[in-house]
PDB file of all heavy atoms in Angstrom:
ATOM      1  N   LYS B   3       1.140  23.143 -19.770  1.00 90.00           N
ATOM      2  CA  LYS B   3       1.662  21.834 -20.137  1.00 90.00           C
ATOM      3  C   LYS B   3       0.562  20.802 -20.323  1.00 90.00           C
ATOM      4  O   LYS B   3       0.714  19.879 -21.110  1.00 90.00           O
ATOM      5  CB  LYS B   3       2.651  21.368 -19.070  1.00 90.00           C
ATOM      6  CG  LYS B   3       3.975  22.140 -19.066  1.00 90.00           C
ATOM      7  CD  LYS B   3       4.927  21.560 -18.062  1.00 90.00           C
ATOM      8  CE  LYS B   3       6.257  22.274 -18.090  1.00 90.00           C
ATOM      9  NZ  LYS B   3       7.020  21.964 -19.311  1.00 90.00           N
ATOM     10  N   ILE B   4      -0.504  20.932 -19.575  1.00 95.00           N
ATOM     11  CA  ILE B   4      -1.607  19.983 -19.635  1.00 95.00           C
ATOM     12  C   ILE B   4      -2.898  20.751 -19.947  1.00 95.00           C
ATOM     13  O   ILE B   4      -3.203  21.735 -19.269  1.00 95.00           O
ATOM     14  CB  ILE B   4      -1.782  19.242 -18.306  1.00 95.00           C
ATOM     15  CG1 ILE B   4      -0.542  18.396 -18.009  1.00 95.00           C
ATOM     16  CG2 ILE B   4      -3.027  18.379 -18.328  1.00 95.00           C
ATOM     17  CD1 ILE B   4      -0.405  17.163 -18.856  1.00 95.00           C
ATOM     18  N   TYR B  25      -1.120  17.320 -23.961  1.00 97.00           N
ATOM     19  CA  TYR B  25       0.024  17.783 -23.183  1.00 97.00           C
ATOM     20  C   TYR B  25       1.089  18.368 -24.091  1.00 97.00           C
ATOM     21  O   TYR B  25       1.072  18.166 -25.315  1.00 97.00           O
ATOM     22  CB  TYR B  25       0.593  16.623 -22.349  1.00 97.00           C
ATOM     23  CG  TYR B  25       1.054  15.435 -23.159  1.00 97.00           C
ATOM     24  CD1 TYR B  25       2.363  15.335 -23.594  1.00 97.00           C
ATOM     25  CD2 TYR B  25       0.151  14.422 -23.504  1.00 97.00           C
ATOM     26  CE1 TYR B  25       2.782  14.259 -24.349  1.00 97.00           C
ATOM     27  CE2 TYR B  25       0.565  13.338 -24.257  1.00 97.00           C
ATOM     28  CZ  TYR B  25       1.879  13.259 -24.674  1.00 97.00           C
ATOM     29  OH  TYR B  25       2.287  12.184 -25.428  1.00 97.00           O
ATOM     30  N   ASP B  26       1.992  19.072 -23.479  1.00 95.00           N
ATOM     31  CA  ASP B  26       3.057  19.724 -24.233  1.00 95.00           C
ATOM     32  C   ASP B  26       4.374  19.517 -23.495  1.00 95.00           C
ATOM     33  O   ASP B  26       4.513  19.900 -22.339  1.00 95.00           O
ATOM     34  CB  ASP B  26       2.770  21.221 -24.381  1.00 95.00           C
ATOM     35  CG  ASP B  26       3.834  21.932 -25.207  1.00 95.00           C
ATOM     36  OD1 ASP B  26       4.439  21.290 -26.096  1.00 95.00           O
ATOM     37  OD2 ASP B  26       4.066  23.132 -24.963  1.00 95.00           O
ATOM     38  N   THR B  27       5.325  18.908 -24.169  1.00 93.00           N
ATOM     39  CA  THR B  27       6.640  18.713 -23.582  1.00 93.00           C
ATOM     40  C   THR B  27       7.667  18.491 -24.678  1.00 93.00           C
ATOM     41  O   THR B  27       7.342  17.974 -25.751  1.00 93.00           O
ATOM     42  CB  THR B  27       6.657  17.509 -22.621  1.00 93.00           C
ATOM     43  OG1 THR B  27       7.961  17.383 -22.049  1.00 93.00           O
ATOM     44  CG2 THR B  27       6.294  16.210 -23.327  1.00 93.00           C
ATOM     45  N   TYR B  32       8.736  10.988 -20.214  1.00 92.00           N
ATOM     46  CA  TYR B  32       7.748  11.613 -19.328  1.00 92.00           C
ATOM     47  C   TYR B  32       6.700  10.574 -18.954  1.00 92.00           C
ATOM     48  O   TYR B  32       6.628   9.485 -19.543  1.00 92.00           O
ATOM     49  CB  TYR B  32       7.093  12.821 -19.996  1.00 92.00           C
ATOM     50  CG  TYR B  32       6.507  12.531 -21.360  1.00 92.00           C
ATOM     51  CD1 TYR B  32       5.192  12.100 -21.502  1.00 92.00           C
ATOM     52  CD2 TYR B  32       7.276  12.692 -22.519  1.00 92.00           C
ATOM     53  CE1 TYR B  32       4.660  11.832 -22.750  1.00 92.00           C
ATOM     54  CE2 TYR B  32       6.759  12.420 -23.775  1.00 92.00           C
ATOM     55  CZ  TYR B  32       5.446  11.987 -23.880  1.00 92.00           C
ATOM     56  OH  TYR B  32       4.925  11.719 -25.123  1.00 92.00           O
ATOM     57  N   GLY B  33       5.921  10.905 -17.952  1.00 92.00           N
ATOM     58  CA  GLY B  33       4.841  10.033 -17.530  1.00 92.00           C
ATOM     59  C   GLY B  33       3.549  10.813 -17.444  1.00 92.00           C
ATOM     60  O   GLY B  33       3.536  11.998 -17.111  1.00 92.00           O
ATOM     61  N   LEU B  34       2.464  10.147 -17.734  1.00 95.00           N
ATOM     62  CA  LEU B  34       1.142  10.772 -17.698  1.00 95.00           C
ATOM     63  C   LEU B  34       0.277  10.048 -16.679  1.00 95.00           C
ATOM     64  O   LEU B  34       0.279   8.817 -16.608  1.00 95.00           O
ATOM     65  CB  LEU B  34       0.501  10.721 -19.080  1.00 95.00           C
ATOM     66  CG  LEU B  34       1.289  11.496 -20.141  1.00 95.00           C
ATOM     67  CD1 LEU B  34       0.961  10.993 -21.533  1.00 95.00           C
ATOM     68  CD2 LEU B  34       1.009  12.986 -20.027  1.00 95.00           C
ATOM     69  N   PHE B  35      -0.428  10.808 -15.885  1.00 94.00           N
ATOM     70  CA  PHE B  35      -1.237  10.261 -14.807  1.00 94.00           C
ATOM     71  C   PHE B  35      -2.656  10.807 -14.898  1.00 94.00           C
ATOM     72  O   PHE B  35      -2.877  11.930 -15.337  1.00 94.00           O
ATOM     73  CB  PHE B  35      -0.672  10.673 -13.439  1.00 94.00           C
ATOM     74  CG  PHE B  35       0.749  10.249 -13.190  1.00 94.00           C
ATOM     75  CD1 PHE B  35       1.813  10.953 -13.743  1.00 94.00           C
ATOM     76  CD2 PHE B  35       1.024   9.169 -12.370  1.00 94.00           C
ATOM     77  CE1 PHE B  35       3.128  10.577 -13.497  1.00 94.00           C
ATOM     78  CE2 PHE B  35       2.335   8.786 -12.120  1.00 94.00           C
ATOM     79  CZ  PHE B  35       3.384   9.493 -12.683  1.00 94.00           C
ATOM     80  N   CYS B  92      -5.812  15.271 -15.247  1.00 97.00           N
ATOM     81  CA  CYS B  92      -4.702  14.704 -15.999  1.00 97.00           C
ATOM     82  C   CYS B  92      -3.431  15.406 -15.527  1.00 97.00           C
ATOM     83  O   CYS B  92      -3.449  16.618 -15.258  1.00 97.00           O
ATOM     84  CB  CYS B  92      -4.931  14.930 -17.493  1.00 97.00           C
ATOM     85  SG  CYS B  92      -3.637  14.317 -18.580  1.00 97.00           S
ATOM     86  N   ALA B  93      -2.349  14.668 -15.407  1.00 95.00           N
ATOM     87  CA  ALA B  93      -1.100  15.269 -14.932  1.00 95.00           C
ATOM     88  C   ALA B  93       0.078  14.649 -15.660  1.00 95.00           C
ATOM     89  O   ALA B  93       0.012  13.519 -16.138  1.00 95.00           O
ATOM     90  CB  ALA B  93      -0.941  15.063 -13.417  1.00 95.00           C
ATOM     91  N   MET B  94       1.154  15.415 -15.729  1.00 94.00           N
ATOM     92  CA  MET B  94       2.359  14.943 -16.407  1.00 94.00           C
ATOM     93  C   MET B  94       3.581  15.214 -15.548  1.00 94.00           C
ATOM     94  O   MET B  94       3.676  16.254 -14.892  1.00 94.00           O
ATOM     95  CB  MET B  94       2.533  15.664 -17.754  1.00 94.00           C
ATOM     96  CG  MET B  94       3.818  15.289 -18.488  1.00 94.00           C
ATOM     97  SD  MET B  94       3.932  16.076 -20.109  1.00 94.00           S
ATOM     98  CE  MET B  94       4.097  17.797 -19.642  1.00 94.00           C
ATOM     99  N   ARG B  95       4.485  14.260 -15.565  1.00 90.00           N
ATOM    100  CA  ARG B  95       5.776  14.478 -14.933  1.00 90.00           C
ATOM    101  C   ARG B  95       6.858  14.233 -15.978  1.00 90.00           C
ATOM    102  O   ARG B  95       6.878  13.208 -16.636  1.00 90.00           O
ATOM    103  CB  ARG B  95       5.982  13.554 -13.739  1.00 90.00           C
ATOM    104  CG  ARG B  95       7.248  13.926 -12.945  1.00 90.00           C
ATOM    105  CD  ARG B  95       7.439  13.058 -11.743  1.00 90.00           C
ATOM    106  NE  ARG B  95       7.688  11.698 -12.116  1.00 90.00           N
ATOM    107  CZ  ARG B  95       7.009  10.669 -11.620  1.00 90.00           C
ATOM    108  NH1 ARG B  95       6.061  10.848 -10.740  1.00 90.00           N
ATOM    109  NH2 ARG B  95       7.305   9.457 -12.004  1.00 90.00           N
ATOM    110  N   GLU B  96       7.730  15.208 -16.137  1.00 88.00           N
ATOM    111  CA  GLU B  96       8.826  15.099 -17.080  1.00 88.00           C
ATOM    112  C   GLU B  96      10.069  14.586 -16.365  1.00 88.00           C
ATOM    113  O   GLU B  96      10.303  14.931 -15.205  1.00 88.00           O
ATOM    114  CB  GLU B  96       9.107  16.468 -17.715  1.00 88.00           C
ATOM    115  CG  GLU B  96       7.939  17.014 -18.522  1.00 88.00           C
ATOM    116  CD  GLU B  96       8.054  18.499 -18.783  1.00 88.00           C
ATOM    117  OE1 GLU B  96       8.019  19.287 -17.820  1.00 88.00           O
ATOM    118  OE2 GLU B  96       8.188  18.875 -19.959  1.00 88.00           O
ATOM    119  N   ARG B 102       8.290  16.690 -10.333  1.00 85.00           N
ATOM    120  CA  ARG B 102       7.134  17.545 -10.135  1.00 85.00           C
ATOM    121  C   ARG B 102       6.026  17.192 -11.117  1.00 85.00           C
ATOM    122  O   ARG B 102       6.274  16.887 -12.272  1.00 85.00           O
ATOM    123  CB  ARG B 102       7.530  19.011 -10.307  1.00 85.00           C
ATOM    124  CG  ARG B 102       8.519  19.494  -9.252  1.00 85.00           C
ATOM    125  CD  ARG B 102       9.377  20.597  -9.792  1.00 85.00           C
ATOM    126  NE  ARG B 102       8.604  21.788 -10.090  1.00 85.00           N
ATOM    127  CZ  ARG B 102       8.904  22.611 -11.081  1.00 85.00           C
ATOM    128  NH1 ARG B 102       9.912  22.352 -11.875  1.00 85.00           N
ATOM    129  NH2 ARG B 102       8.192  23.705 -11.276  1.00 85.00           N
ATOM    130  N   LEU B 103       4.789  17.277 -10.635  1.00 90.00           N
ATOM    131  CA  LEU B 103       3.620  17.014 -11.471  1.00 90.00           C
ATOM    132  C   LEU B 103       2.995  18.323 -11.921  1.00 90.00           C
ATOM    133  O   LEU B 103       2.802  19.222 -11.116  1.00 90.00           O
ATOM    134  CB  LEU B 103       2.578  16.222 -10.698  1.00 90.00           C
ATOM    135  CG  LEU B 103       2.695  14.697 -10.617  1.00 90.00           C
ATOM    136  CD1 LEU B 103       1.553  14.144  -9.781  1.00 90.00           C
ATOM    137  CD2 LEU B 103       2.696  14.076 -11.998  1.00 90.00           C
ATOM    138  N   ALA B 104       2.650  18.374 -13.204  1.00 92.00           N
ATOM    139  CA  ALA B 104       1.881  19.508 -13.718  1.00 92.00           C
ATOM    140  C   ALA B 104       0.468  19.007 -13.986  1.00 92.00           C
ATOM    141  O   ALA B 104       0.287  18.019 -14.697  1.00 92.00           O
ATOM    142  CB  ALA B 104       2.508  20.040 -14.992  1.00 92.00           C
TER     143      ALA B 104
END
Side-chain angles (χ1 to χ4, degrees):
Chain B
K3 289 184 178 289
I4 296 287
Y25 59 92
D26 182 30
T27 181
Y32 53 89
L34 298 158
F35 302 79
C92 179
M94 176 176 67
R95 189 178 65 232
E96 298 163 296
R102 295 152 65 213
L103 276 179

